[in-house]
Amino acid sequence: MIKFSRKIYLQFLFFLSILTLSSALIIEYIFGYQPCNLCEIERIPYMLSIIIIITNYYFRRDQIFYSILLMLVFAFSIIISFYHFGIEQGFIKESAFCAAENLDLLTKEDVLNSFDNLNISCKNVAFKVFNLSLTTYNILISLLMFLVSTKIYLISDDIKK
């Protein structure tokens, strides 16, 4: 079996985080699909992982600490993604955080101003790839990244012994 170094695993996480974030931004800004609130929250772990990996590169002293941080970040990502998936599938009721607002609009100005504060519902899937929502892909990517960060922890733990 091929054994990869800790550095290779970190590079994999780094580039996969950049690829995932870039894809989300391309879908939003180039294809014009607006994300819901949970979709935006699901981007946070990828941004955090990039910061953690860059910090780890400069401060190589606390390898176990950084690998545990990565594991926690992607555990959070899995939980948020499953929650979002549950809302999409109707297993979980959409919270007020996600629900699009019902506005009582009286004037033309109120209608125009409401477009600035438009919330996208978390249960509506606007963009699919191979008939799977981006949340489904996020679950799979987060799970993969959690497993890789666990592998990094195990390698770091072996270094300490």
Short mmCIF file of all heavy atoms in Angstrom, two decimals, residues 101-142:
data_model
loop_
_atom_site.label_atom_id
_atom_site.label_comp_id
_atom_site.label_asym_id
_atom_site.label_seq_id
_atom_site.Cartn_x
_atom_site.Cartn_y
_atom_site.Cartn_z
N GLU A 101 -38.44 35.23 3.85
CA GLU A 101 -39.35 36.08 4.60
C GLU A 101 -40.63 36.32 3.82
O GLU A 101 -40.62 36.51 2.61
CB GLU A 101 -38.68 37.43 4.89
CG GLU A 101 -37.50 37.32 5.81
CD GLU A 101 -36.82 38.67 6.02
OE1 GLU A 101 -37.39 39.70 5.65
OE2 GLU A 101 -35.72 38.67 6.56
N ASN A 102 -41.74 36.33 4.54
CA ASN A 102 -43.01 36.75 3.97
C ASN A 102 -43.16 38.21 4.28
O ASN A 102 -43.37 38.60 5.41
CB ASN A 102 -44.15 35.97 4.62
CG ASN A 102 -44.79 35.01 3.68
OD1 ASN A 102 -44.55 35.07 2.48
ND2 ASN A 102 -45.60 34.13 4.22
N LEU A 103 -43.06 39.03 3.30
CA LEU A 103 -43.08 40.47 3.52
C LEU A 103 -44.46 41.03 3.20
O LEU A 103 -45.09 40.65 2.22
CB LEU A 103 -42.03 41.14 2.63
CG LEU A 103 -40.59 40.72 2.85
CD1 LEU A 103 -39.70 41.36 1.79
CD2 LEU A 103 -40.12 41.11 4.23
N ASP A 104 -44.92 41.94 4.05
CA ASP A 104 -46.13 42.68 3.76
C ASP A 104 -45.71 43.97 3.08
O ASP A 104 -45.29 44.92 3.73
CB ASP A 104 -46.90 42.98 5.06
CG ASP A 104 -47.41 41.72 5.71
OD1 ASP A 104 -47.79 40.79 4.97
OD2 ASP A 104 -47.41 41.66 6.96
N LEU A 105 -45.80 43.99 1.77
CA LEU A 105 -45.33 45.12 0.99
C LEU A 105 -46.50 46.01 0.61
O LEU A 105 -47.51 45.53 0.09
CB LEU A 105 -44.60 44.62 -0.26
CG LEU A 105 -43.44 43.66 0.02
CD1 LEU A 105 -42.89 43.12 -1.29
CD2 LEU A 105 -42.36 44.35 0.79
N LEU A 106 -46.33 47.28 0.87
CA LEU A 106 -47.41 48.21 0.62
C LEU A 106 -47.15 49.12 -0.57
O LEU A 106 -48.05 49.44 -1.32
CB LEU A 106 -47.68 49.06 1.87
CG LEU A 106 -48.03 48.28 3.13
CD1 LEU A 106 -48.13 49.22 4.32
CD2 LEU A 106 -49.34 47.53 2.94
N THR A 107 -45.92 49.53 -0.73
CA THR A 107 -45.61 50.48 -1.78
C THR A 107 -44.61 49.89 -2.76
O THR A 107 -43.96 48.88 -2.50
CB THR A 107 -45.01 51.78 -1.20
OG1 THR A 107 -43.74 51.48 -0.63
CG2 THR A 107 -45.93 52.39 -0.16
N LYS A 108 -44.49 50.59 -3.89
CA LYS A 108 -43.53 50.17 -4.91
C LYS A 108 -42.10 50.21 -4.37
O LYS A 108 -41.29 49.34 -4.65
CB LYS A 108 -43.67 51.08 -6.13
CG LYS A 108 -42.75 50.75 -7.26
CD LYS A 108 -43.03 51.53 -8.52
CE LYS A 108 -43.18 53.01 -8.25
NZ LYS A 108 -43.25 53.83 -9.47
N GLU A 109 -41.79 51.20 -3.54
CA GLU A 109 -40.46 51.32 -2.94
C GLU A 109 -40.17 50.15 -2.01
O GLU A 109 -39.04 49.65 -1.95
CB GLU A 109 -40.31 52.65 -2.18
CG GLU A 109 -40.25 53.87 -3.06
CD GLU A 109 -41.63 54.32 -3.54
OE1 GLU A 109 -42.65 53.98 -2.89
OE2 GLU A 109 -41.68 54.98 -4.59
N ASP A 110 -41.20 49.70 -1.26
CA ASP A 110 -41.04 48.55 -0.37
C ASP A 110 -40.69 47.30 -1.18
O ASP A 110 -39.85 46.50 -0.78
CB ASP A 110 -42.30 48.29 0.44
CG ASP A 110 -42.56 49.36 1.49
OD1 ASP A 110 -41.59 50.07 1.86
OD2 ASP A 110 -43.71 49.48 1.93
N VAL A 111 -41.35 47.13 -2.31
CA VAL A 111 -41.09 45.98 -3.17
C VAL A 111 -39.65 46.03 -3.69
O VAL A 111 -38.92 45.04 -3.65
CB VAL A 111 -42.10 45.91 -4.35
CG1 VAL A 111 -41.69 44.83 -5.34
CG2 VAL A 111 -43.50 45.69 -3.84
N LEU A 112 -39.22 47.19 -4.18
CA LEU A 112 -37.87 47.34 -4.71
C LEU A 112 -36.82 47.14 -3.61
O LEU A 112 -35.79 46.50 -3.84
CB LEU A 112 -37.70 48.71 -5.37
CG LEU A 112 -38.50 48.91 -6.66
CD1 LEU A 112 -38.37 50.35 -7.15
CD2 LEU A 112 -38.06 47.94 -7.73
N ASN A 113 -37.07 47.67 -2.44
CA ASN A 113 -36.13 47.51 -1.32
C ASN A 113 -36.07 46.08 -0.83
O ASN A 113 -35.05 45.63 -0.30
CB ASN A 113 -36.49 48.44 -0.17
CG ASN A 113 -36.24 49.89 -0.51
OD1 ASN A 113 -35.40 50.20 -1.36
ND2 ASN A 113 -36.96 50.78 0.14
N SER A 114 -37.16 45.32 -0.97
CA SER A 114 -37.18 43.94 -0.50
C SER A 114 -36.23 43.05 -1.30
O SER A 114 -35.76 42.04 -0.81
CB SER A 114 -38.59 43.37 -0.55
OG SER A 114 -38.99 43.14 -1.88
N PHE A 115 -35.93 43.42 -2.55
CA PHE A 115 -35.01 42.61 -3.36
C PHE A 115 -33.60 42.64 -2.79
O PHE A 115 -32.82 41.71 -3.01
CB PHE A 115 -35.00 43.07 -4.81
CG PHE A 115 -36.27 42.70 -5.53
CD1 PHE A 115 -37.06 43.69 -6.10
CD2 PHE A 115 -36.68 41.38 -5.64
CE1 PHE A 115 -38.23 43.35 -6.77
CE2 PHE A 115 -37.84 41.04 -6.30
CZ PHE A 115 -38.62 42.02 -6.86
N ASP A 116 -33.24 43.69 -2.06
CA ASP A 116 -31.93 43.76 -1.43
C ASP A 116 -31.81 42.79 -0.27
O ASP A 116 -30.72 42.34 0.07
CB ASP A 116 -31.64 45.18 -0.93
CG ASP A 116 -31.49 46.17 -2.07
OD1 ASP A 116 -31.13 45.74 -3.18
OD2 ASP A 116 -31.74 47.37 -1.83
N ASN A 117 -32.92 42.44 0.36
CA ASN A 117 -32.92 41.58 1.54
C ASN A 117 -33.53 40.20 1.25
O ASN A 117 -34.02 39.54 2.16
CB ASN A 117 -33.73 42.24 2.67
CG ASN A 117 -33.14 43.57 3.05
OD1 ASN A 117 -31.93 43.75 3.01
ND2 ASN A 117 -33.99 44.50 3.42
N LEU A 118 -33.52 39.78 0.01
CA LEU A 118 -34.15 38.53 -0.37
C LEU A 118 -33.37 37.34 0.20
O LEU A 118 -32.18 37.20 -0.04
CB LEU A 118 -34.21 38.44 -1.90
CG LEU A 118 -34.98 37.27 -2.49
CD1 LEU A 118 -36.44 37.35 -2.06
CD2 LEU A 118 -34.87 37.28 -3.99
N ASN A 119 -34.07 36.48 0.94
CA ASN A 119 -33.48 35.26 1.48
C ASN A 119 -33.89 34.09 0.61
O ASN A 119 -35.06 33.94 0.28
CB ASN A 119 -33.96 35.00 2.91
CG ASN A 119 -33.36 35.96 3.90
OD1 ASN A 119 -32.34 36.57 3.63
ND2 ASN A 119 -34.00 36.09 5.05
N ILE A 120 -32.94 33.25 0.27
CA ILE A 120 -33.20 32.06 -0.51
C ILE A 120 -33.54 30.94 0.48
O ILE A 120 -32.85 30.74 1.47
CB ILE A 120 -31.96 31.67 -1.34
CG1 ILE A 120 -31.47 32.83 -2.21
CG2 ILE A 120 -32.24 30.43 -2.18
CD1 ILE A 120 -32.47 33.32 -3.22
N SER A 121 -34.58 30.20 0.21
CA SER A 121 -35.00 29.11 1.09
C SER A 121 -33.98 27.97 1.04
O SER A 121 -33.50 27.61 -0.03
CB SER A 121 -36.37 28.60 0.67
OG SER A 121 -36.73 27.48 1.42
N CYS A 122 -33.69 27.40 2.19
CA CYS A 122 -32.72 26.30 2.27
C CYS A 122 -33.28 24.98 1.72
O CYS A 122 -32.52 24.08 1.40
CB CYS A 122 -32.27 26.08 3.71
SG CYS A 122 -31.34 27.47 4.39
N LYS A 123 -34.60 24.88 1.62
CA LYS A 123 -35.18 23.62 1.15
C LYS A 123 -35.27 23.53 -0.37
O LYS A 123 -35.44 22.46 -0.91
CB LYS A 123 -36.55 23.39 1.78
CG LYS A 123 -37.60 24.38 1.39
CD LYS A 123 -38.90 24.11 2.11
CE LYS A 123 -39.88 25.23 1.83
NZ LYS A 123 -41.09 25.08 2.59
N ASN A 124 -35.13 24.65 -1.04
CA ASN A 124 -35.20 24.66 -2.50
C ASN A 124 -33.82 24.44 -3.10
O ASN A 124 -32.91 25.22 -2.85
CB ASN A 124 -35.78 25.98 -3.01
CG ASN A 124 -37.20 26.20 -2.54
OD1 ASN A 124 -37.93 25.25 -2.28
ND2 ASN A 124 -37.59 27.45 -2.41
N VAL A 125 -33.68 23.39 -3.89
CA VAL A 125 -32.42 23.07 -4.53
C VAL A 125 -32.44 23.70 -5.92
O VAL A 125 -33.20 23.29 -6.78
CB VAL A 125 -32.20 21.55 -4.63
CG1 VAL A 125 -30.88 21.25 -5.32
CG2 VAL A 125 -32.25 20.91 -3.25
N ALA A 126 -31.59 24.71 -6.11
CA ALA A 126 -31.58 25.42 -7.38
C ALA A 126 -30.57 24.86 -8.37
O ALA A 126 -30.74 24.97 -9.57
CB ALA A 126 -31.29 26.90 -7.14
N PHE A 127 -29.52 24.23 -7.87
CA PHE A 127 -28.43 23.78 -8.74
C PHE A 127 -28.10 22.33 -8.40
O PHE A 127 -27.82 22.01 -7.24
CB PHE A 127 -27.20 24.67 -8.53
CG PHE A 127 -26.13 24.47 -9.54
CD1 PHE A 127 -26.17 25.12 -10.77
CD2 PHE A 127 -25.06 23.63 -9.29
CE1 PHE A 127 -25.17 24.94 -11.72
CE2 PHE A 127 -24.05 23.44 -10.22
CZ PHE A 127 -24.11 24.10 -11.44
N LYS A 128 -28.14 21.47 -9.41
CA LYS A 128 -27.81 20.05 -9.22
C LYS A 128 -26.76 19.63 -10.25
O LYS A 128 -26.73 20.15 -11.36
CB LYS A 128 -29.05 19.17 -9.39
CG LYS A 128 -30.05 19.30 -8.29
CD LYS A 128 -31.18 18.30 -8.48
CE LYS A 128 -32.16 18.37 -7.34
NZ LYS A 128 -33.19 17.33 -7.45
N VAL A 129 -25.93 18.68 -9.86
CA VAL A 129 -24.96 18.06 -10.75
C VAL A 129 -25.20 16.56 -10.68
O VAL A 129 -25.15 15.98 -9.59
CB VAL A 129 -23.52 18.42 -10.33
CG1 VAL A 129 -22.52 17.73 -11.24
CG2 VAL A 129 -23.31 19.92 -10.31
N PHE A 130 -25.47 15.94 -11.82
CA PHE A 130 -25.81 14.51 -11.88
C PHE A 130 -26.97 14.19 -10.94
O PHE A 130 -26.97 13.19 -10.23
CB PHE A 130 -24.61 13.63 -11.59
CG PHE A 130 -23.47 13.81 -12.55
CD1 PHE A 130 -22.24 14.29 -12.10
CD2 PHE A 130 -23.63 13.55 -13.90
CE1 PHE A 130 -21.20 14.47 -12.98
CE2 PHE A 130 -22.58 13.73 -14.78
CZ PHE A 130 -21.36 14.20 -14.32
N ASN A 131 -27.93 15.10 -10.91
CA ASN A 131 -29.16 14.97 -10.12
C ASN A 131 -28.91 14.92 -8.61
O ASN A 131 -29.76 14.44 -7.86
CB ASN A 131 -29.98 13.75 -10.57
CG ASN A 131 -31.45 13.96 -10.34
OD1 ASN A 131 -31.93 15.10 -10.30
ND2 ASN A 131 -32.18 12.88 -10.19
N LEU A 132 -27.76 15.40 -8.15
CA LEU A 132 -27.48 15.51 -6.72
C LEU A 132 -27.25 16.97 -6.38
O LEU A 132 -26.60 17.71 -7.12
CB LEU A 132 -26.23 14.70 -6.34
CG LEU A 132 -26.31 13.19 -6.51
CD1 LEU A 132 -24.95 12.56 -6.23
CD2 LEU A 132 -27.37 12.59 -5.59
N SER A 133 -27.78 17.38 -5.23
CA SER A 133 -27.60 18.77 -4.81
C SER A 133 -26.16 19.02 -4.37
O SER A 133 -25.42 18.08 -4.04
CB SER A 133 -28.55 19.11 -3.66
OG SER A 133 -28.14 18.46 -2.47
N LEU A 134 -25.79 20.27 -4.35
CA LEU A 134 -24.44 20.62 -3.89
C LEU A 134 -24.25 20.26 -2.43
O LEU A 134 -23.13 19.98 -2.00
CB LEU A 134 -24.18 22.11 -4.13
CG LEU A 134 -24.16 22.53 -5.60
CD1 LEU A 134 -23.91 24.03 -5.72
CD2 LEU A 134 -23.11 21.76 -6.38
N THR A 135 -25.33 20.25 -1.66
CA THR A 135 -25.24 19.84 -0.26
C THR A 135 -24.82 18.37 -0.15
O THR A 135 -24.02 18.02 0.72
CB THR A 135 -26.58 20.06 0.46
OG1 THR A 135 -26.93 21.44 0.36
CG2 THR A 135 -26.52 19.65 1.90
N THR A 136 -25.33 17.54 -1.03
CA THR A 136 -24.94 16.13 -1.04
C THR A 136 -23.45 15.99 -1.34
O THR A 136 -22.74 15.22 -0.67
CB THR A 136 -25.76 15.36 -2.09
OG1 THR A 136 -27.15 15.59 -1.85
CG2 THR A 136 -25.46 13.87 -2.03
N TYR A 137 -22.98 16.75 -2.32
CA TYR A 137 -21.55 16.73 -2.62
C TYR A 137 -20.73 17.26 -1.44
O TYR A 137 -19.66 16.76 -1.16
CB TYR A 137 -21.24 17.54 -3.89
CG TYR A 137 -21.67 16.82 -5.14
CD1 TYR A 137 -22.78 17.24 -5.85
CD2 TYR A 137 -20.97 15.71 -5.60
CE1 TYR A 137 -23.18 16.59 -7.01
CE2 TYR A 137 -21.36 15.05 -6.74
CZ TYR A 137 -22.47 15.49 -7.44
OH TYR A 137 -22.86 14.82 -8.57
N ASN A 138 -21.27 18.26 -0.76
CA ASN A 138 -20.56 18.81 0.38
C ASN A 138 -20.42 17.78 1.50
O ASN A 138 -19.40 17.72 2.18
CB ASN A 138 -21.25 20.08 0.89
CG ASN A 138 -20.37 20.85 1.83
OD1 ASN A 138 -19.17 21.01 1.59
ND2 ASN A 138 -20.94 21.33 2.91
N ILE A 139 -21.45 16.96 1.69
CA ILE A 139 -21.36 15.89 2.69
C ILE A 139 -20.22 14.94 2.33
O ILE A 139 -19.39 14.59 3.18
CB ILE A 139 -22.69 15.11 2.79
CG1 ILE A 139 -23.78 15.98 3.41
CG2 ILE A 139 -22.51 13.82 3.60
CD1 ILE A 139 -25.17 15.38 3.34
N LEU A 140 -20.17 14.54 1.07
CA LEU A 140 -19.13 13.60 0.63
C LEU A 140 -17.73 14.20 0.73
O LEU A 140 -16.80 13.55 1.21
CB LEU A 140 -19.42 13.14 -0.81
CG LEU A 140 -20.73 12.38 -1.01
CD1 LEU A 140 -20.99 12.14 -2.49
CD2 LEU A 140 -20.73 11.08 -0.23
N ILE A 141 -17.60 15.45 0.30
CA ILE A 141 -16.29 16.11 0.37
C ILE A 141 -15.86 16.32 1.81
O ILE A 141 -14.71 16.08 2.18
CB ILE A 141 -16.32 17.45 -0.41
CG1 ILE A 141 -16.48 17.19 -1.90
CG2 ILE A 141 -15.07 18.27 -0.14
CD1 ILE A 141 -16.80 18.44 -2.72
N SER A 142 -16.80 16.74 2.66
CA SER A 142 -16.49 16.96 4.08
C SER A 142 -16.09 15.66 4.76
O SER A 142 -15.17 15.63 5.58
CB SER A 142 -17.68 17.57 4.81
OG SER A 142 -17.99 18.83 4.29
#
